[in-house]
Amino acid sequence: MFIQGMGRTLFQTNVPLFLILTGYLNLNKKISRKYYRGMIAVVLSYIFISVITILFREYYVGEHLSPIQWMLKITDFSAISYAWYIEMWIGLFLLTPFLNILWKNIATRRHKHILLLTLYILCALPDLFNRYGVHLVPGYWSVIYPCAFFFIGAYIKEYQPVAAKPRLLLFIICCCLINPVFNTLFISNHSMIQLIGTGNGVLGMPLAAAVFLLVYKAEIRTGWIKKALQSISRVSLDMYLASYMFDVAAYSYFKTRFYDDQGQFGIWFFVVVPIVFICSYIFAILKKQTFVLLHLPTK
C-alpha cells in the first residue's frame, strides 16, 4: 500500500500533463477556419466512442435506459465516465487562440512569472486550505486550472527551461513520499489522507511541471520505440475514452477472481493495467481505420 500511495500521487499528473502539452504544442495557434475545423475530429470521435460505450453499458454491464436517456448522457458527457475531459477540452480549444494573444502580449518574462504565480495561488491554495468544510481562502476561481497548466506549457515552449534531472527526480520522489509517509506515521484504520491534495494542488502543479521537464527533451533514438510512441501518441485521446470500457471489464473480472482488497491489487497492477492499455490501443487503431474508410476526419 505504501508503494501504491506513491503511485497514486505520481499518476494524478495525468490530466495536468495533457494540459501542459496542450499549451506547449498550441502556443502558435491562431484564429482561422482551419483551426476551428480541428475540433470536428475530436467531437466525432467522442460521439462514436460514446455510442460504443453505451452499447457496452447496456449489454455487458446491464444498465438499461431509454434511447432518449442515453442520448442525454452523450450531451451531458456522462455516457463515458472519463468524458468530462472532452467537455473541459472544448472550452480550452475555443479559448486557445485568445490565450495565445494574451500570452504573447505580456511584455516581459517577469510579468509572465507573475501571471503563473497568480494562477498558482488561485488554483492551488484553495485545494490546500478549503477542506473538510473549512473555507480559509477564496476558491471561486480554482476551476481555472486548465488555463494555469496551459500557460505552464506555453512558458516551457517559449523559454525551453532545463533542470538537472537528478534534482527533478529527487523532487518527484519526495512529492510521492509525502502522502504514504504521513499516513504510515499518523493515520490508522482510515483510507489514505491526501495531504498534498489533487493534481492541481500546492505540490500537484509543480509535480506535473517537474515530470514534464524531465521528459520533454528526451531523445528517443531506438527506431521501434520511437515508432511505437508515435503511434500511441496519435491515438492517445481515443485510448483514454475507450479505456473506460476495458477498465470496467478488466477490473471487475480480476477483482472477483484474484484479489479482494486494494492491498492485493499491487501485484495485479502489472497484469491489469497492460491489458487495459493494449486493448484500448487496439480499439483506437480500429476506430481510426474505420474513420479512414468512412472518409471522416481523424486527429
Side-chain angles (χ1 to χ4, degrees):
M1 289 300 295
F2 191 95
I3 299 299
Q4 289 186 60
M6 292 183 65
R8 189 188 189 283
T9 300
L10 179 63
F11 297 150
Q12 71 183 14
T13 63
N14 52 2
V15 170
L17 288 174
F18 262 116
L19 295 171
I20 292 173
L21 189 61
T22 300
Y24 185 88
L25 295 177
N26 291 280
L27 180 59
N28 295 314
K29 297 294 184 181
K30 299 179 180 179
I31 300 170
S32 67
R33 291 184 179 179
K34 180 180 179 181
Y35 174 76
Y36 288 113
R37 284 198 299 266
M39 186 164 53
I40 296 174
V42 174
V43 173
L44 288 178
S45 291
Y46 165 68
I47 294 172
F48 178 83
I49 297 174
S50 291
V51 171
I52 301 297
T53 303
I54 286 171
L55 294 174
F56 170 82
R57 292 175 63 175
E58 180 78 28
Y59 296 106
Y60 181 85
V61 180
E63 299 180 47
H64 302 300
L65 299 176
S66 69
I68 292 178
Q69 288 175 310
W70 281 125
M71 288 182 63
L72 290 174
K73 282 190 170 295
I74 294 177
T75 59
D76 71 7
F77 299 91
S78 65
I80 306 171
S81 292
Y82 306 156
W84 68 269
Y85 183 87
I86 299 297
E87 185 175 17
M88 179 276 297
W89 175 87
I90 289 173
L92 186 61
F93 179 90
L94 294 173
L95 285 172
T96 289
F98 304 99
L99 294 176
N100 290 337
I101 292 172
L102 174 89
W103 180 260
K104 292 184 177 182
N105 283 278
I106 297 176
T108 66
R109 187 172 183 176
R110 179 173 176 272
H111 288 171
K112 291 176 179 178
H113 287 165
I114 294 173
L115 172 62
L116 293 177
L117 178 62
T118 301
L119 291 170
Y120 177 73
I121 291 171
L122 290 173
C123 299
L125 293 189
D127 181 75
L128 179 64
F129 292 112
N130 298 349
R131 300 192 193 185
Y132 308 113
V134 178
H135 197 103
L136 299 179
V137 298
Y140 192 88
W141 283 88
S142 59
V143 293
I144 203 173
Y145 73 88
C147 293
F149 285 116
F150 180 92
F151 283 132
I152 290 173
Y155 181 90
I156 295 173
K157 177 66 174 181
E158 181 173 359
Y159 295 106
Q160 298 288 301
V162 177
K165 289 188 176 181
R167 292 184 179 180
L168 290 173
L169 281 171
L170 180 62
F171 175 75
I172 292 168
I173 292 170
C174 288
C175 288
C176 293
L177 281 171
I178 292 174
N179 281 337
V181 167
F182 174 80
N183 282 266
T184 299
L185 295 178
F186 303 109
I187 307 297
S188 61
N189 299 320
H190 194 282
S191 58
M192 187 169 69
I193 301 293
Q194 302 300 315
L195 185 66
I196 69 171
T198 65
N200 51 287
V202 169
L203 285 179
M205 294 183 74
L207 174 61
V211 173
F212 192 89
L213 289 172
L214 183 67
V215 300
Y216 87 109
K217 283 185 174 292
E219 293 185 15
I220 309 298
R221 297 181 178 179
T222 305
W224 68 269
I225 295 179
K226 180 181 290 188
K227 289 180 180 178
L229 292 175
Q230 289 173 340
S231 179
I232 291 167
S233 69
R234 294 188 185 103
V235 294
S236 58
L237 184 60
D238 291 340
M239 290 176 63
Y240 169 74
L241 293 174
S243 67
Y244 167 74
M245 293 182 287
F246 301 110
D247 277 344
V248 171
Y251 281 90
S252 60
Y253 177 87
F254 280 89
K255 189 171 183 179
T256 56
R257 289 167 174 80
F258 300 109
Y259 66 92
D260 299 314
D261 58 43
Q262 188 64 34
Q264 295 171 320
F265 171 70
I267 298 173
W268 291 99
F269 173 92
F270 300 98
V271 177
V272 179
V273 172
I275 289 174
V276 172
F277 187 91
I278 292 169
C279 290
S280 300
Y281 174 74
I282 293 172
F283 176 95
I285 292 295
L286 293 175
K287 173 261 167 187
K288 183 177 181 179
Q289 294 301 317
T290 300
F291 270 41
V292 170
L293 291 174
L294 295 175
H295 302 289
L296 295 173
T298 59
K299 297 183 294 300

